[in-house]
């Protein structure tokens, strides 16, 4: 409670705990002083939660009861988010964190629908199928395809591909591309058989973008080179060097137009 004394501006009235053996790391009070939002982590540093605590009726609240309400039922990531992807046909976002978990979020109601632990392996990339029923996760030693179930993920297939830093489903979901060092490999989603292997980069590939009709795959390397690959005959269309621009902004604002079996980035979209 606030007081008028300068030496002791606040007076301790009650003490509340979560009763879940969690450490409260930070908190924020609403402007109306009616609610407190807290961030708590387990002692093992394996899970985190956002908790809400009411301040309106604090005089009648019992210290023996747990009055904290989780804002996300399945928790949040502990540590940085390493990769993420957005589903095209469902309002979900898939994130892979340094805490070795993959979470599926519904961005309409701000809820975590699924939390899947990955064991001792740390993910390096993640991609969501356009229909939202499958997820590809890249690791240091392999790439795995999972089916999305109601209560978790179930492994469907696996490929021994090392250091997959980027993975991207095609617009139709029939294929996916993996960035393996300076190479770009394309696989069939259902049979997991290789379709194409594109070489030409002189630095590791950082970003992959499919055209809307899946006829062209664009790849951007750390050296600033952007290459377009034609899926029909597996030939390279063109290359563009933009070393002074961020690759994420370049591909994020790139408007791809395909006419007469020829593709090029729209210069107006790359400004």
């Amino acid at each position: 409670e606030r007081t008028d004394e300068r030496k002791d501006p606040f007076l301790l009235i009650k003490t509340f705990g979560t009763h879940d053996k969690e450490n409260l790391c930070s908190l924020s009070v609403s402007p109306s002083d009616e609610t407190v939002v807290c961030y708590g982590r387990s002692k093992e540093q394996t899970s985190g939660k956002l908790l809400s605590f009411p301040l309106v009726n604090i005089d009648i609240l019992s210290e023996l009861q747990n009055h904290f309400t989780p804002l996300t039922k399945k928790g949040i990531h502990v540590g940085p988010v390493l990769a993420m992807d957005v589903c095209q046909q469902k309002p979900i976002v898939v994130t892979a964190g340094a805490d070795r978990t993959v979470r599926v979020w519904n961005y309409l109601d701000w809820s975590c629908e699924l939390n899947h632990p990955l064991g001792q392996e740390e993910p390096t990339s993640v991609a969501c199928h356009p229909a939202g029923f499958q997820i590809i996760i890249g690791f240091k030693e392999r790439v795995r395809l999972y089916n999305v179930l109601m209560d978790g993920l179930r492994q469907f297939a696996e490929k021994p591909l090392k250091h997959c830093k980027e993975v991207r489903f095609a617009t139709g979901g029939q294929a996916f591309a993996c960035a393996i060092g300076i190479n770009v490999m394309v696989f069939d989603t259902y049979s997991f058989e290789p379709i194409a292997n594109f070489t030409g980069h002189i630095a590791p590939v950082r970003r992959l973008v499919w055209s809307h009709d899946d006829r062209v795959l664009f790849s951007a390397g750390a050296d600033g080179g952007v290459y377009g690959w034609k899926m029909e005959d597996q030939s390279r269309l063109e290359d563009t060097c933009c070393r002074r621009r961020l690759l994420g902004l370049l591909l994020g604002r790139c408007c791809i137009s395909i006419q007469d079996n020829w593709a090029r980035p729209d210069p107006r979209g790359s400004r």
Side-chain angles (χ1 to χ4, degrees):
E1 183 178 1
R2 293 180 181 178
T3 63
D4 296 332
E5 298 182 6
R6 295 182 179 181
K7 294 183 179 180
D8 298 321
F10 294 95
L11 180 63
L12 178 62
I13 299 178
K14 291 184 177 181
T15 302
F16 298 92
T18 61
H19 299 177
D20 293 332
K21 297 181 180 181
E22 293 178 336
N23 298 324
L24 298 181
C25 303
S26 60
L27 57 88
S28 178
V29 183
S30 64
S32 60
D33 293 337
E34 295 181 355
T35 307
V36 175
V37 176
C38 310
Y39 171 66
R41 286 188 299 187
S42 61
K43 295 183 179 180
E44 296 80 10
Q45 305 292 323
T46 57
S47 61
K49 290 182 179 180
L50 283 178
L51 305 172
S52 175
F53 182 84
L55 294 178
V56 180
N57 301 322
I58 194 172
D59 295 334
I60 62 175
L61 297 181
S62 174
E63 299 183 43
L64 301 178
Q65 299 179 357
N66 184 7
H67 302 282
F68 289 87
T69 303
L71 296 179
T72 54
K73 295 182 179 180
K74 298 183 182 296
I76 59 177
H77 284 290
V78 177
V81 175
L82 304 178
M84 66 176 295
D85 194 17
V86 181
C87 182
Q88 297 182 12
Q89 301 178 17
K90 287 186 176 182
I92 59 175
V93 177
V94 181
T95 58
D99 56 353
R100 297 180 175 86
T101 62
V102 172
R103 298 176 184 269
V104 179
W105 308 84
N106 189 318
Y107 56 78
L108 293 182
D109 55 9
W110 294 24
S111 64
C112 180
E113 296 184 349
L114 189 148
N115 177 21
H116 183 80
L118 299 175
Q120 299 300 320
E121 293 185 290
E122 183 174 297
T124 57
S125 57
V126 68
C128 182
H129 192 276
F133 298 115
Q134 289 180 315
I135 294 176
I136 292 181
I137 305 175
F139 301 93
K140 294 183 178 180
E141 299 292 335
R142 58 189 59 84
V143 173
R144 289 173 177 167
L145 177 64
Y146 293 86
N147 291 329
V148 181
L149 306 179
M150 293 294 295
D151 55 349
L153 303 179
R154 178 177 297 176
Q155 183 177 336
F156 176 75
E158 178 180 320
K159 275 286 184 181
L161 302 175
K162 294 185 178 181
H163 303 289
C164 178
K165 297 296 184 179
E166 175 77 352
V167 59
R168 191 67 57 192
F169 271 104
T171 306
Q174 76 282 356
F176 64 92
C178 298
I180 311 296
I182 61 175
N183 299 329
V184 178
M185 304 184 67
V186 182
F187 296 89
D188 185 273
T189 302
Y190 309 105
S191 64
F192 240 57
E193 294 296 326
I195 298 177
N197 184 16
F198 300 117
T199 60
H201 285 279
I202 60 176
V205 179
R206 296 292 179 84
R207 295 292 183 269
L208 297 172
V209 173
W210 290 84
S211 62
H212 294 295
D213 56 4
D214 293 335
R215 296 193 306 177
V216 178
L217 172 65
F218 282 89
S219 59
D223 59 339
V226 179
Y227 301 149
W229 311 97
K230 189 177 178 180
M231 297 302 301
E232 184 177 357
D233 54 5
Q234 301 183 12
S235 60
R236 191 170 73 181
L237 295 175
E238 60 179 87
D239 59 280
T240 307
C241 241
C242 300
R243 290 185 174 87
R244 296 183 180 180
R245 301 182 181 180
L246 294 175
L247 298 179
L249 292 177
L250 176 65
L251 292 182
R253 299 178 182 177
C254 181
C255 179
I256 303 172
S257 59
I258 301 177
Q259 296 178 357
D260 298 331
N261 294 332
W262 181 72
R264 63 181 179 183
D266 189 346
R268 296 173 299 178
S270 60
R271 293 179 182 177

